[in-house]
């Protein structure tokens, strides 16, 4: 993966939220090609689940706590967050309203380009409703006629709801009547085509003729046959279109100005009487948007596509400014280097320690999600419409898991640690509350922060165009949580966005690390080092002979331009074991048994391979940066350092008794 982008192009990430970079897992759909007919077939055994009625009663939700720190309290963010954590961890999320003096700049440019995500609102909860079946029948017929329907037709940047257009024309007396009497203005009103699109009538006419007329001119018998085919495929969970199994898919690249125009049109479609300026506060009641959204999501009658974008702010310099005059500690580009966050020793990791900029529009959402590393994160709404947040605390995980299993069994991955992939599902919070999930809600206004606590689940919904920015952080108390998360991820063969060993190693060698942090690092790092030494010795015992010590490389740190000691077995720190997907740091084993590219394993899995197939031994090369003596030395000096600090602090009589 190359990180170098042209200077005038914002760097893009796949992240919805921090740390989603490589976590998106498409396994939920398990679409494979059936060899016999080349069709895609889902391997999941799907269960049909009734959709419970949507009773949108907000009183079943709990208000997340809100904090109003004064100027004095609003100084060190990590210190402040540590102070309030115990009070609000049981809500999963909280909102922070900064003092009025906090007015940071937000740097964005109309020309800022990014790859937008397409979000299909009607597929957010259950994938296929009646509208999807009609659309599939239309698509199938077009395919039979060799008519290309990708990209889908748009007016004013908004995708036209083809089944809706078909119905609207039928309701007005059929295509003959509509074309003859030029009733496109009536059709446009029914479909709520944005009024700003001046050529909307002629566009509707040509879209209808190209994409729907062939389908409309089929006999009832032929259409019935087509629908029957689609229905029976639906029951067997076959689909012609792989994207139909996803609710969020990668869309096209667009500049911010285009995104904004689509956002403005989207708002005018659904709320035509609203002030649609992006920066002005809208008079729209967020609860009204919320109710309309969940109705669209659960009813699945209309075909609604909206967009969102996630942009790596690190190299582009968008979002919070990076210059010397903007060094407020709550500026997220400053916060990520706060003394209290152990992640700062890791250096810049896009989607994790480098803030991500999020652009949203009406009805664009962040699906239910939690950071797989158990990291807390913070989101600042720079400008635009309110964002509604839902949170479920870590303690409620099993209740939430049960509820999700009941409501969306096809989208939940058994008992894995990451049982909910990112960009997978939006479940109405009231439905979760009905299943006894303790769920909190808050409305973030522009200029406010939302904090998501370790291992909490969240989702959010935008009520209009907005720009926000988020970043992960980690107080030292996160270290044992992170250790448990990384272990679980490895057992489940799930990828991580960084190596925990690399983080621990960096903290141990970081002169800024306090003794309290080192005390938490030691009990995690020592067993890892012991295991590494043990594995190397076992590999030698089993006959591995090719060992290569790699030089310690130093890379310039992007933040301060100073050289940072980066020590890893991979050039860019992104190499993973092909079996457990662990990010490799201390060492990596390469198997060169085949002529083409070698296979990379962690030492544990290399040893397992050797035990299962002794013949691979001769093909294995182990690469490492630090030899065993260096590994031991790091642990020893960590122990010595902690001991010396403890001695210095202990009173004299106590000191003599311990000696
Ligand atoms: Zn492995």
């Amino acid at each position: 993966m190359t990180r170098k982008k042209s200077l005038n192009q914002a760097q893009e990430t796949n992240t919805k939220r921090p740390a989603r970079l490589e976590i998106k897992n498409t396994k939920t759909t398990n679409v494979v090609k059936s060899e016999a007919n080349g069709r895609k077939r889902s391997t999941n055994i799907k269960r049909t689940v009734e959709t419970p009625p949507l009773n949108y009663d907000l009183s079943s939700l709990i208000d997340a706590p809100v904090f109003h720190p004064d100027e004095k309290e609003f100084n060190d963010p990590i210190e402040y967050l540590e102070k309030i954590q115990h009070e609000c961890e049981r809500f999963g999320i909280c909102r922070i309203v900064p003092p009025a003096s906090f007015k940071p700049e937000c740097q964005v440019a109309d020309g800022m380009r990014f790859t937008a995500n397409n979000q299909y609102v009607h597929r957010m909860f259950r994938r296929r409703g009646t509208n999807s079946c009609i659309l599939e029948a239309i698509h199938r017929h077009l395919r039979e006629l060799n008519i290309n329907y990708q990209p889908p037709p748009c007016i004013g940047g908004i995708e036209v709801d083809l089944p809706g257009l078909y119905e609207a024309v039928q309701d007005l007396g059929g295509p003959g009547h509509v074309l003859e009497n030029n009733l496109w203005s009536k059709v446009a009103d029914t479909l709520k085509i944005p009024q700003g699109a001046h050529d909307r009538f002629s566009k509707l006419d040509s879209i209808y003729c190209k994409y729907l007329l062939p389908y409309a001119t089929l006999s009832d018998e032929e259409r019935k046959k087509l629908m029957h085919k689609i229905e029976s495929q639906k029951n067997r969970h076959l689909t012609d279109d792989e994207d139909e199994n996803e609710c969020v898919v990668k869309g096209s690249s667009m500049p911010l100005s285009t995104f904004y125009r689509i956002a403005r049109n989207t708002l005018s479609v659904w709320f035509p009487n609203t002030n649609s300026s992006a920066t002005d506060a809208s008079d729209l009641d967020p609860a009204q948007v919320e109710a309309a959204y969940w109705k669209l999501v659960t009813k699945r009658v209309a075909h609604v596509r909206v967009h969102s974008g996630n942009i790596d702010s690190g190299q582009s310099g968008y979002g919070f400014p990076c210059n010397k005059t903007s060094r407020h500690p709550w500026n997220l580009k400053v916060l990520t280097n706060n003394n209290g966050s152990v992640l700062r020793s890791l250096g810049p990791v896009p989607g994790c320690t480098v803030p991500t900029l999020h652009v949203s529009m009406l009805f664009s959402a962040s699906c239910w999600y939690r950071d797989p590393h158990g990291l807390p994160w913070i989101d600042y709404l720079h400008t635009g419409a309110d964002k509604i947040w839902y949170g479920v605390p870590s303690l409620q995980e099993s209740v939430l898991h049960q509820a999700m299993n009941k409501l969306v069994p096809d989208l939940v991955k058994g008992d894995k640690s990451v049982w909910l992939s990112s960009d997978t599902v939006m479940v109405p919070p009231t439905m979760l509350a009905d299943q006894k999930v303790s769920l909190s809600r808050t409305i973030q206004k522009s200029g406010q922060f939302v904090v998501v606590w370790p291992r909490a689940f969240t989702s959010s919904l935008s009520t209009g165009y907005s720009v926000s920015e988020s970043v992960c952080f980690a107080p030292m108390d996160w270290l044992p949580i992170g250790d448990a998360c990384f272990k679980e991820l490895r057992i489940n063969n799930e990828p991580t966005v960084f190596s925990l060993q690399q983080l621990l190693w960096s903290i141990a060698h970081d002169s800024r690390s306090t003794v309290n942090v080192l005390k938490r690092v030691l009990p995690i790092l020592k067993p890892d080092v012991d295991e590494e030494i043990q594995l190397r010795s076992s590999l030698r015992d089993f006959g591995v002979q090719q060992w290569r010590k790699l030089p310690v490389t130093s890379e310039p740190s992007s933040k301060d331009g100073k050289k940072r000691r980066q020590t890893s077995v991979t050039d860019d720190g992104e190499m993973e074991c092909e079996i457990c997907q662990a990010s490799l740091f201390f060492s990596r084993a390469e198997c060169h048994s085949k002529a083409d590219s070698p296979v990379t394993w962690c030492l544990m899995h290399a040893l397992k391979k050797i035990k299962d197939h002794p013949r691979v031994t001769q093909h294995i090369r182990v690469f490492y940066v630090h030899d065993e003596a260096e590994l031991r030395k790091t642990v020893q000096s960590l122990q010595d350092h902690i001991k010396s600090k403890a001695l210095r602090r202990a009173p004299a009589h106590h000191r003599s008794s311990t000696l």
Side-chain angles (χ1 to χ4, degrees), residues 321-587:
C322 304
N323 56 39
K324 285 201 170 98
T325 54
S326 321
R327 304 306 290 169
H328 195 286
W330 285 76
N331 170 335
L332 297 188
K333 297 203 171 65
V334 177
L335 184 145
T336 191
N337 287 307
N338 185 291
N339 297 339
S341 175
V342 295
L343 284 185
R344 75 172 174 166
S345 302
L346 199 57
V349 178
C352 184
T353 59
V354 177
T356 303
L357 202 67
H358 310 278
V359 288
S360 313
M361 60 175 68
L362 176 80
F363 294 153
S364 68
S366 287
C367 290
W368 280 103
Y369 173 78
R370 89 160 153 197
D371 178 73
H373 318 89
L375 285 167
W377 44 279
I378 181 162
D379 182 287
Y380 181 73
L381 187 55
H382 281 290
T383 180
D386 298 352
K387 206 179 258 190
I388 304 166
W389 289 76
Y390 310 109
V392 174
S394 168
L395 282 171
Q396 283 276 306
E397 179 179 359
S398 61
V399 190
L400 179 70
H401 196 167
Q402 249 176 17
M404 290 282 201
N405 253 328
K406 202 170 164 187
L407 294 166
V408 282
D410 296 344
L411 305 176
V412 172
K413 292 193 291 172
D415 293 325
K416 290 190 143 208
S417 59
V418 183
W419 51 268
L420 193 62
S421 301
S422 62
D423 294 338
T424 298
V425 72
M426 282 298 274
V427 179
T430 49
M431 268 187 205
L432 292 171
D434 287 346
Q435 301 291 327
K436 309 276 177 265
V437 178
S438 163
L439 198 143
S440 61
R441 172 183 179 270
T442 199
I443 298 174
Q444 181 190 26
K445 298 201 165 294
S446 83
Q448 299 182 347
F449 290 94
V450 163
V451 178
V452 179
W453 298 103
R455 310 213 81 194
F457 291 83
T458 52
S459 66
S460 64
L461 168 66
S462 298
T463 65
Y465 173 83
S466 70
V467 178
S468 63
E469 188 169 350
S470 61
V471 76
C472 290
F473 63 95
M476 60 185 171
D477 285 344
W478 166 82
L479 285 165
I481 300 172
D483 184 34
C485 288
F486 273 80
K487 286 199 169 93
E488 262 180 64
L489 289 169
R490 192 172 178 193
I491 291 168
N492 289 300
N493 304 337
E494 296 278 0
T496 58
V497 295
F498 61 91
S499 151
L500 181 64
Q501 286 168 347
Q502 180 172 5
L503 173 62
L504 298 171
W505 189 266
S506 309
I507 298 171
H509 288 97
D510 192 333
S511 57
R512 303 168 298 180
S513 301
T514 64
V515 71
N516 280 332
V517 170
L518 297 177
K519 271 187 194 163
R520 283 168 174 80
V521 165
L522 182 63
I524 309 169
L525 184 63
K526 188 175 183 300
D528 274 6
V529 165
D530 291 347
E531 191 195 359
E532 175 71 21
I533 292 170
Q534 182 58 48
L535 282 166
R536 288 185 192 182
S537 135
S538 299
L539 285 169
R540 284 201 178 88
D541 292 349
F542 273 85
V544 173
Q545 287 179 347
Q546 305 184 65
W547 295 78
R548 307 252 166 97
K549 190 173 192 302
L550 298 169
V552 174
T553 56
S554 44
E555 294 172 358
S557 155
S558 71
K559 273 274 167 270
D560 45 19
K562 282 179 208 150
K563 290 267 177 180
R564 182 187 291 274
R565 225 172 105 93
Q566 282 278 337
T567 52
S568 170
V569 285
T570 57
D571 293 332
D572 53 6
E574 287 186 69
M575 207 165 273
E576 293 172 356
C577 167
E578 298 218 347
I579 298 168
C580 66
Q581 303 206 49
S583 301
L584 301 174
F585 173 67
F586 285 141
S587 54

